[in-house]
Amino acid sequence: MVDTSDLFHLNAAAVRNLLPVERAIESLRNFHAEHDLPVTDRQVVRDRAPSPNTFSTLTAWNPGKYIAVKLVGLFPGNSELASPQPGVQGLVALFDGSTGRPLMTCDGAALTGVKTAADSALAMDILSRRDSSTLLLVGAGGLATEFATAARVVRPSINRILVWNRSSGRAEKLAAALSETHCVCEAVTNLAAALPEADIVSALTASDTPVVLGQSIRTGAHIDLVGSYLPELREADDDLIIRAGRIYVDTKSDCGKSGDISQPLASGVLTENMIAGDLFDLCAGKVPGRRDHADITVFKNIGGAHLDLAVAAELYERALAL
């Protein structure tokens, strides 16, 4: 139990208990169907080169309702420390959108994990084939388990999971864990051979060169690009965009922040009219999604403060209802 009479804090366990991913998916679905994009701002501070560490501040304000501010650091090397720590750590603060009164703080990494997986799962539910049975996780970092869970919420037909990671040991460890909690799971070392086997591909890397190759994708697959959160990062090649013919995003306003969008736009492989729609369009029924069984669909999970706002508001209201 938490005291909700004043400002309160929810730790990671409380966040996950109060906001299971299936609830987060539905909160995002309702938010996108019923709202316009809130006022948002995003600032990223980078450590001195060659460090990959970044610290971000994301703010979203839904006038008259809530304001959410996320303070989050991404430190990829934390898992290799003598005393390992999570690579993503931070806080989310929720305020009253009418008065500015602080209402709640919560663990930022837990909320980010649930939110990010729910964001992609919502797109999977709209864009992927309903008979999808094989999921390929490209990357075995902290988000991978969340994505496996969320994907099987919207596609319970998934009965096989493949895991690829640059470090094969991490892929094997994750595959063993998912085999115990989800379904048949296998670590793979040859990504080019695994891509054609997958109905859904979730790319969860911080790669600056494409790892998802369009010529290797099977007809009818759904591709979920997650890791490219900076303009210099990119997970999919030009061939994927050419084969798909279009791409969907979670919000059109943040397209320039991801190399998977900004780089092909700059080269001309991707044009503005090939960005077919975002989750606001899809959830409100303003644009079509999958066209047929053979369609290759691509979704770029860019993220954004409005997503943190939606799930933080849901979390707060669920805490109040206890």
Side-chain angles (χ1 to χ4, degrees), residues 289-312:
R290 171 170 288 274
R291 295 173 295 198
D292 55 47
H293 200 67
D295 201 12
I296 293 175
T297 55
V298 180
F299 175 73
K300 176 60 195 130
N301 181 330
I302 302 169
H306 65 292
L307 302 168
D308 299 299
L309 172 64
V311 294

PDB file of all heavy atoms in Angstrom, residues 289-312:
ATOM      1  N   GLY A 289      -3.368   0.373 -41.858  1.00  0.00           N
ATOM      2  CA  GLY A 289      -2.137  -0.278 -41.425  1.00  0.00           C
ATOM      3  C   GLY A 289      -1.721  -1.331 -42.430  1.00  0.00           C
ATOM      4  O   GLY A 289      -1.468  -1.022 -43.592  1.00  0.00           O
ATOM      5  N   ARG A 290      -1.674  -2.575 -41.983  1.00  0.00           N
ATOM      6  CA  ARG A 290      -1.306  -3.687 -42.883  1.00  0.00           C
ATOM      7  C   ARG A 290      -2.310  -3.780 -44.020  1.00  0.00           C
ATOM      8  O   ARG A 290      -3.524  -3.753 -43.810  1.00  0.00           O
ATOM      9  CB  ARG A 290      -1.243  -4.985 -42.081  1.00  0.00           C
ATOM     10  CG  ARG A 290      -1.087  -6.245 -42.931  1.00  0.00           C
ATOM     11  CD  ARG A 290      -0.776  -7.455 -42.060  1.00  0.00           C
ATOM     12  NE  ARG A 290       0.595  -7.351 -41.550  1.00  0.00           N
ATOM     13  CZ  ARG A 290       1.673  -7.755 -42.192  1.00  0.00           C
ATOM     14  NH1 ARG A 290       1.559  -8.276 -43.410  1.00  0.00           N
ATOM     15  NH2 ARG A 290       2.865  -7.629 -41.660  1.00  0.00           N
ATOM     16  N   ARG A 291      -1.799  -3.947 -45.245  1.00  0.00           N
ATOM     17  CA  ARG A 291      -2.657  -3.993 -46.419  1.00  0.00           C
ATOM     18  C   ARG A 291      -3.083  -5.414 -46.764  1.00  0.00           C
ATOM     19  O   ARG A 291      -4.213  -5.640 -47.195  1.00  0.00           O
ATOM     20  CB  ARG A 291      -1.940  -3.362 -47.617  1.00  0.00           C
ATOM     21  CG  ARG A 291      -1.679  -1.867 -47.441  1.00  0.00           C
ATOM     22  CD  ARG A 291      -0.823  -1.289 -48.545  1.00  0.00           C
ATOM     23  NE  ARG A 291       0.537  -1.856 -48.539  1.00  0.00           N
ATOM     24  CZ  ARG A 291       1.566  -1.296 -49.153  1.00  0.00           C
ATOM     25  NH1 ARG A 291       1.409  -0.170 -49.828  1.00  0.00           N
ATOM     26  NH2 ARG A 291       2.761  -1.866 -49.114  1.00  0.00           N
ATOM     27  N   ASP A 292      -2.174  -6.376 -46.597  1.00  0.00           N
ATOM     28  CA  ASP A 292      -2.506  -7.762 -46.925  1.00  0.00           C
ATOM     29  C   ASP A 292      -1.513  -8.694 -46.234  1.00  0.00           C
ATOM     30  O   ASP A 292      -0.593  -8.248 -45.542  1.00  0.00           O
ATOM     31  CB  ASP A 292      -2.523  -7.997 -48.441  1.00  0.00           C
ATOM     32  CG  ASP A 292      -1.215  -7.596 -49.120  1.00  0.00           C
ATOM     33  OD1 ASP A 292      -0.136  -7.975 -48.612  1.00  0.00           O
ATOM     34  OD2 ASP A 292      -1.269  -6.894 -50.139  1.00  0.00           O
ATOM     35  N   HIS A 293      -1.684  -9.991 -46.463  1.00  0.00           N
ATOM     36  CA  HIS A 293      -0.898 -11.013 -45.787  1.00  0.00           C
ATOM     37  C   HIS A 293       0.588 -10.931 -46.134  1.00  0.00           C
ATOM     38  O   HIS A 293       1.450 -11.274 -45.326  1.00  0.00           O
ATOM     39  CB  HIS A 293      -1.440 -12.400 -46.166  1.00  0.00           C
ATOM     40  CG  HIS A 293      -1.065 -13.483 -45.213  1.00  0.00           C
ATOM     41  ND1 HIS A 293      -1.539 -13.522 -43.912  1.00  0.00           N
ATOM     42  CD2 HIS A 293      -0.258 -14.572 -45.352  1.00  0.00           C
ATOM     43  CE1 HIS A 293      -1.050 -14.590 -43.300  1.00  0.00           C
ATOM     44  NE2 HIS A 293      -0.270 -15.249 -44.145  1.00  0.00           N
ATOM     45  N   ALA A 294       0.885 -10.449 -47.359  1.00  0.00           N
ATOM     46  CA  ALA A 294       2.274 -10.410 -47.826  1.00  0.00           C
ATOM     47  C   ALA A 294       2.970  -9.092 -47.508  1.00  0.00           C
ATOM     48  O   ALA A 294       4.175  -8.955 -47.768  1.00  0.00           O
ATOM     49  CB  ALA A 294       2.321 -10.668 -49.333  1.00  0.00           C
ATOM     50  N   ASP A 295       2.259  -8.141 -46.943  1.00  0.00           N
ATOM     51  CA  ASP A 295       2.805  -6.814 -46.676  1.00  0.00           C
ATOM     52  C   ASP A 295       3.949  -6.884 -45.666  1.00  0.00           C
ATOM     53  O   ASP A 295       3.862  -7.587 -44.656  1.00  0.00           O
ATOM     54  CB  ASP A 295       1.680  -5.943 -46.120  1.00  0.00           C
ATOM     55  CG  ASP A 295       1.934  -4.467 -46.274  1.00  0.00           C
ATOM     56  OD1 ASP A 295       2.867  -4.091 -47.015  1.00  0.00           O
ATOM     57  OD2 ASP A 295       1.193  -3.682 -45.666  1.00  0.00           O
ATOM     58  N   ILE A 296       5.045  -6.176 -45.925  1.00  0.00           N
ATOM     59  CA  ILE A 296       6.115  -5.991 -44.943  1.00  0.00           C
ATOM     60  C   ILE A 296       5.858  -4.660 -44.257  1.00  0.00           C
ATOM     61  O   ILE A 296       5.780  -3.616 -44.914  1.00  0.00           O
ATOM     62  CB  ILE A 296       7.500  -5.989 -45.604  1.00  0.00           C
ATOM     63  CG1 ILE A 296       7.827  -7.373 -46.179  1.00  0.00           C
ATOM     64  CG2 ILE A 296       8.587  -5.580 -44.599  1.00  0.00           C
ATOM     65  CD1 ILE A 296       9.125  -7.432 -46.957  1.00  0.00           C
ATOM     66  N   THR A 297       5.681  -4.684 -42.947  1.00  0.00           N
ATOM     67  CA  THR A 297       5.415  -3.460 -42.193  1.00  0.00           C
ATOM     68  C   THR A 297       6.612  -3.117 -41.327  1.00  0.00           C
ATOM     69  O   THR A 297       7.256  -3.995 -40.760  1.00  0.00           O
ATOM     70  CB  THR A 297       4.150  -3.595 -41.327  1.00  0.00           C
ATOM     71  OG1 THR A 297       4.263  -4.749 -40.476  1.00  0.00           O
ATOM     72  CG2 THR A 297       2.910  -3.731 -42.190  1.00  0.00           C
ATOM     73  N   VAL A 298       6.898  -1.824 -41.219  1.00  0.00           N
ATOM     74  CA  VAL A 298       8.038  -1.336 -40.436  1.00  0.00           C
ATOM     75  C   VAL A 298       7.538  -0.257 -39.483  1.00  0.00           C
ATOM     76  O   VAL A 298       6.849   0.689 -39.900  1.00  0.00           O
ATOM     77  CB  VAL A 298       9.141  -0.751 -41.342  1.00  0.00           C
ATOM     78  CG1 VAL A 298      10.312  -0.239 -40.505  1.00  0.00           C
ATOM     79  CG2 VAL A 298       9.617  -1.784 -42.356  1.00  0.00           C
ATOM     80  N   PHE A 299       7.895  -0.405 -38.216  1.00  0.00           N
ATOM     81  CA  PHE A 299       7.515   0.576 -37.191  1.00  0.00           C
ATOM     82  C   PHE A 299       8.776   1.057 -36.499  1.00  0.00           C
ATOM     83  O   PHE A 299       9.597   0.261 -36.050  1.00  0.00           O
ATOM     84  CB  PHE A 299       6.580  -0.054 -36.161  1.00  0.00           C
ATOM     85  CG  PHE A 299       6.234   0.856 -35.010  1.00  0.00           C
ATOM     86  CD1 PHE A 299       5.377   1.928 -35.176  1.00  0.00           C
ATOM     87  CD2 PHE A 299       6.784   0.632 -33.742  1.00  0.00           C
ATOM     88  CE1 PHE A 299       5.055   2.766 -34.114  1.00  0.00           C
ATOM     89  CE2 PHE A 299       6.463   1.462 -32.672  1.00  0.00           C
ATOM     90  CZ  PHE A 299       5.598   2.532 -32.862  1.00  0.00           C
ATOM     91  N   LYS A 300       8.935   2.374 -36.419  1.00  0.00           N
ATOM     92  CA  LYS A 300      10.054   2.948 -35.668  1.00  0.00           C
ATOM     93  C   LYS A 300       9.566   3.448 -34.326  1.00  0.00           C
ATOM     94  O   LYS A 300       8.791   4.399 -34.255  1.00  0.00           O
ATOM     95  CB  LYS A 300      10.713   4.088 -36.467  1.00  0.00           C
ATOM     96  CG  LYS A 300      11.825   4.786 -35.695  1.00  0.00           C
ATOM     97  CD  LYS A 300      12.954   3.830 -35.314  1.00  0.00           C
ATOM     98  CE  LYS A 300      13.845   4.460 -34.241  1.00  0.00           C
ATOM     99  NZ  LYS A 300      14.079   3.590 -33.113  1.00  0.00           N
ATOM    100  N   ASN A 301      10.015   2.789 -33.281  1.00  0.00           N
ATOM    101  CA  ASN A 301       9.730   3.178 -31.911  1.00  0.00           C
ATOM    102  C   ASN A 301      10.743   4.263 -31.532  1.00  0.00           C
ATOM    103  O   ASN A 301      11.866   3.969 -31.138  1.00  0.00           O
ATOM    104  CB  ASN A 301       9.854   1.954 -31.001  1.00  0.00           C
ATOM    105  CG  ASN A 301       9.555   2.233 -29.552  1.00  0.00           C
ATOM    106  OD1 ASN A 301       9.781   3.335 -29.062  1.00  0.00           O
ATOM    107  ND2 ASN A 301       9.080   1.223 -28.845  1.00  0.00           N
ATOM    108  N   ILE A 302      10.336   5.509 -31.699  1.00  0.00           N
ATOM    109  CA  ILE A 302      11.223   6.635 -31.405  1.00  0.00           C
ATOM    110  C   ILE A 302      11.188   6.964 -29.922  1.00  0.00           C
ATOM    111  O   ILE A 302      12.161   7.402 -29.331  1.00  0.00           O
ATOM    112  CB  ILE A 302      10.825   7.871 -32.239  1.00  0.00           C
ATOM    113  CG1 ILE A 302      10.877   7.542 -33.728  1.00  0.00           C
ATOM    114  CG2 ILE A 302      11.727   9.073 -31.932  1.00  0.00           C
ATOM    115  CD1 ILE A 302      10.256   8.606 -34.612  1.00  0.00           C
ATOM    116  N   GLY A 303      10.053   6.721 -29.291  1.00  0.00           N
ATOM    117  CA  GLY A 303       9.866   7.123 -27.900  1.00  0.00           C
ATOM    118  C   GLY A 303       9.396   8.563 -27.843  1.00  0.00           C
ATOM    119  O   GLY A 303       9.100   9.189 -28.859  1.00  0.00           O
ATOM    120  N   GLY A 304       9.308   9.093 -26.660  1.00  0.00           N
ATOM    121  CA  GLY A 304       8.863  10.470 -26.513  1.00  0.00           C
ATOM    122  C   GLY A 304       8.218  10.689 -25.165  1.00  0.00           C
ATOM    123  O   GLY A 304       7.681   9.756 -24.539  1.00  0.00           O
ATOM    124  N   ALA A 305       8.269  11.927 -24.721  1.00  0.00           N
ATOM    125  CA  ALA A 305       7.758  12.248 -23.385  1.00  0.00           C
ATOM    126  C   ALA A 305       6.265  12.010 -23.266  1.00  0.00           C
ATOM    127  O   ALA A 305       5.760  11.727 -22.174  1.00  0.00           O
ATOM    128  CB  ALA A 305       8.091  13.700 -23.060  1.00  0.00           C
ATOM    129  N   HIS A 306       5.532  12.121 -24.380  1.00  0.00           N
ATOM    130  CA  HIS A 306       4.080  11.918 -24.316  1.00  0.00           C
ATOM    131  C   HIS A 306       3.745  10.480 -23.922  1.00  0.00           C
ATOM    132  O   HIS A 306       2.719  10.237 -23.271  1.00  0.00           O
ATOM    133  CB  HIS A 306       3.433  12.260 -25.654  1.00  0.00           C
ATOM    134  CG  HIS A 306       3.828  11.370 -26.778  1.00  0.00           C
ATOM    135  ND1 HIS A 306       5.101  11.357 -27.312  1.00  0.00           N
ATOM    136  CD2 HIS A 306       3.123  10.445 -27.473  1.00  0.00           C
ATOM    137  CE1 HIS A 306       5.156  10.475 -28.284  1.00  0.00           C
ATOM    138  NE2 HIS A 306       3.973   9.915 -28.413  1.00  0.00           N
ATOM    139  N   LEU A 307       4.608   9.532 -24.285  1.00  0.00           N
ATOM    140  CA  LEU A 307       4.383   8.139 -23.900  1.00  0.00           C
ATOM    141  C   LEU A 307       4.597   7.944 -22.402  1.00  0.00           C
ATOM    142  O   LEU A 307       3.836   7.241 -21.731  1.00  0.00           O
ATOM    143  CB  LEU A 307       5.314   7.229 -24.692  1.00  0.00           C
ATOM    144  CG  LEU A 307       5.180   7.314 -26.217  1.00  0.00           C
ATOM    145  CD1 LEU A 307       6.346   6.596 -26.881  1.00  0.00           C
ATOM    146  CD2 LEU A 307       3.859   6.748 -26.682  1.00  0.00           C
ATOM    147  N   ASP A 308       5.647   8.579 -21.873  1.00  0.00           N
ATOM    148  CA  ASP A 308       5.876   8.532 -20.424  1.00  0.00           C
ATOM    149  C   ASP A 308       4.709   9.167 -19.681  1.00  0.00           C
ATOM    150  O   ASP A 308       4.286   8.671 -18.634  1.00  0.00           O
ATOM    151  CB  ASP A 308       7.174   9.262 -20.069  1.00  0.00           C
ATOM    152  CG  ASP A 308       8.392   8.632 -20.721  1.00  0.00           C
ATOM    153  OD1 ASP A 308       8.667   7.461 -20.450  1.00  0.00           O
ATOM    154  OD2 ASP A 308       9.067   9.329 -21.507  1.00  0.00           O
ATOM    155  N   LEU A 309       4.194  10.259 -20.219  1.00  0.00           N
ATOM    156  CA  LEU A 309       3.046  10.932 -19.605  1.00  0.00           C
ATOM    157  C   LEU A 309       1.845   9.997 -19.544  1.00  0.00           C
ATOM    158  O   LEU A 309       1.183   9.878 -18.498  1.00  0.00           O
ATOM    159  CB  LEU A 309       2.701  12.183 -20.409  1.00  0.00           C
ATOM    160  CG  LEU A 309       1.411  12.919 -20.045  1.00  0.00           C
ATOM    161  CD1 LEU A 309       1.490  13.482 -18.641  1.00  0.00           C
ATOM    162  CD2 LEU A 309       1.128  14.027 -21.054  1.00  0.00           C
ATOM    163  N   ALA A 310       1.556   9.313 -20.645  1.00  0.00           N
ATOM    164  CA  ALA A 310       0.383   8.445 -20.699  1.00  0.00           C
ATOM    165  C   ALA A 310       0.461   7.320 -19.681  1.00  0.00           C
ATOM    166  O   ALA A 310      -0.505   7.048 -18.956  1.00  0.00           O
ATOM    167  CB  ALA A 310       0.217   7.885 -22.106  1.00  0.00           C
ATOM    168  N   VAL A 311       1.619   6.641 -19.608  1.00  0.00           N
ATOM    169  CA  VAL A 311       1.716   5.508 -18.693  1.00  0.00           C
ATOM    170  C   VAL A 311       1.888   5.967 -17.248  1.00  0.00           C
ATOM    171  O   VAL A 311       1.415   5.307 -16.318  1.00  0.00           O
ATOM    172  CB  VAL A 311       2.829   4.532 -19.106  1.00  0.00           C
ATOM    173  CG1 VAL A 311       2.500   3.863 -20.431  1.00  0.00           C
ATOM    174  CG2 VAL A 311       4.176   5.206 -19.173  1.00  0.00           C
ATOM    175  N   ALA A 312       2.544   7.109 -17.020  1.00  0.00           N
ATOM    176  CA  ALA A 312       2.675   7.633 -15.656  1.00  0.00           C
ATOM    177  C   ALA A 312       1.311   8.035 -15.109  1.00  0.00           C
ATOM    178  O   ALA A 312       1.006   7.808 -13.923  1.00  0.00           O
ATOM    179  CB  ALA A 312       3.629   8.823 -15.626  1.00  0.00           C
TER     180      ALA A 312
END
